[in-house]
Amino acid sequence: MTDNPNTIPPEAIGDLTSLNHALDEHAIVSIADTKGNITYVNERFCSISGYSCDELIGQNHRMLKSNMHSPAFYEDMWQTIVSGNTWHGEIKNHQKDGGSYWVKATIVPTLDEAGKPFQYVSIRTDITEHRETEEALDKLEKRFRISQSFANIGTWDWNIQNGDLYWSDRIPVLFGGTEGGMTTSYDNFLNAIHPDDRQSVVDAVNDCVENDAEYDIEHRVVWPDGTVVWLHETGNVTKDKDGKPLNMLGVVRDVNARKKAEQALAERE
């Protein structure tokens, strides 16, 4: 063993080597100078970007910039690390073949004796699959909302056990409000129903929950401005293996035009 206190013991060097190997196996790592020019990349960085090590070293990180983020996004990132602080965020980067990938990144400035950054170490995790799933779900949700708007229908899900109620954005519109303008609750649902129809709706809900009866009812609602509108509701109850009611799911449709036509025909006859 050496007497020099600054000498790193062999076992510590081995630990650092193992740590670096584990990091390279998991993360996308790069180091850049104060101008953003790349001075080091690991194999995972090359693999995900599509560039070779020789193509990346000496180049600026701007070569990976996608058109996803605004200039303000990059300005905030740069100001954070230039100030000596660590930046965390999610970035969409450009690949050599024209594709793109998402990473969850941590950029850590390395400071000199004066407390000024002299390089930036970036450690990233590939989250492309996760972000693509989120984007796909977002598209489906938008299509769902548009289709409900065109069909003028809404959907709801009532948790029978704890009373929680979810309804789609179209429900408040059908009840005379605006999207998001009506507090979601069973009481608000009942209060919107025409007084003459309220008990029949309550009875139909209870009969469905308790006796597995089909929930299929037409009733009136009174809008805040006093307008009376006809709606048609259908639904069913889901139960656990022991037959305990869990959720009641339903669909609400606007049938006002049909009901008005039926009433007009009946009056003529």
Side-chain angles (χ1 to χ4, degrees):
M1 180 180 294
T2 177
D3 294 330
N4 188 342
N6 295 320
T7 300
I8 301 176
E11 60 272 18
I13 295 176
D15 290 342
L16 288 174
T17 301
S18 298
L19 178 61
N20 286 335
H21 177 71
L23 183 63
D24 284 341
E25 286 294 314
H26 173 76
I28 303 159
V29 183
S30 69
I31 301 175
D33 62 21
T34 54
K35 295 181 180 179
N37 297 321
I38 300 170
T39 59
Y40 167 81
V41 292
N42 70 345
E43 185 60 36
R44 286 185 63 83
F45 193 110
C46 298
S47 176
I48 194 170
S49 69
Y51 291 96
S52 67
C53 179
D54 292 338
E55 290 175 313
L56 290 167
I57 298 298
Q59 299 297 318
N60 195 279
H61 265 292
R62 286 191 296 269
M63 70 182 294
L64 301 168
K65 183 186 291 186
S66 69
N67 296 322
M68 174 69 186
H69 308 289
S70 67
F73 174 86
Y74 293 104
E75 180 66 21
D76 173 72
M77 177 200 302
W78 187 250
Q79 290 301 321
T80 299
I81 60 177
V82 166
S83 301
N85 298 312
T86 300
W87 183 87
H88 302 278
E90 296 181 358
I91 312 174
K92 186 178 184 179
N93 282 337
H94 169 80
Q95 291 174 315
K96 183 179 180 179
D97 63 3
S100 60
Y101 61 98
W102 278 93
V103 293
K104 187 172 185 178
T106 298
I107 306 177
V108 182
T110 305
L111 308 180
D112 59 20
E113 294 180 354
K116 300 293 184 181
F118 67 88
Q119 68 177 14
Y120 304 107
V121 179
S122 301
I123 301 176
R124 308 170 184 84
T125 304
D126 181 10
I127 58 170
T128 305
E129 184 176 352
H130 172 70
R131 288 303 297 252
E132 288 177 346
T133 300
E134 283 187 339
E135 291 172 1
L137 290 174
D138 185 57
K139 288 180 180 179
L140 287 174
E141 184 177 351
K142 288 179 180 178
R143 291 172 182 169
F144 177 70
R145 289 200 301 267
I146 292 172
S147 65
Q148 288 204 344
S149 178
F150 286 161
N152 206 17
I153 65 174
T155 54
W156 49 268
D157 180 355
W158 177 39
N159 187 316
I160 299 171
Q161 297 303 311
N162 60 25
D164 288 345
L165 178 64
Y166 159 82
W167 57 43
S168 64
D169 292 339
R170 198 64 190 169
I171 294 286
V173 178
L174 292 169
F175 281 74
T178 58
E179 291 190 2
M182 183 178 178
T183 303
T184 307
S185 74
Y186 186 66
D187 288 340
N188 282 345
F189 160 71
L190 290 179
N191 289 335
I193 296 174
H194 193 287
D196 294 343
D197 298 344
R198 193 171 297 153
Q199 188 59 50
S200 61
V201 172
V202 172
D203 292 342
V205 170
N206 292 338
D207 200 22
C208 180
V209 173
E210 298 170 5
N211 304 315
D212 289 331
E214 181 181 10
Y215 183 68
D216 189 339
I217 188 171
E218 292 182 351
H219 63 81
R220 292 163 291 177
V221 293
V222 182
W223 287 5
D225 64 0
T227 302
V228 177
V229 175
W230 279 93
L231 300 177
H232 177 209
E233 293 199 59
T234 56
N236 209 338
V237 172
T238 61
K239 299 183 177 182
D240 62 16
K241 61 181 181 179
D242 298 321
K244 183 179 181 180
L246 299 178
N247 290 72
M248 185 172 180
L249 313 174
V251 177
V252 184
R253 299 175 178 85
D254 182 348
V255 294
N256 196 58
R258 175 175 63 79
K259 294 293 290 188
K260 295 295 185 183
E262 289 175 353
Q263 290 173 351
L265 178 61
E267 290 173 359
R268 286 198 300 271
E269 292 177 348

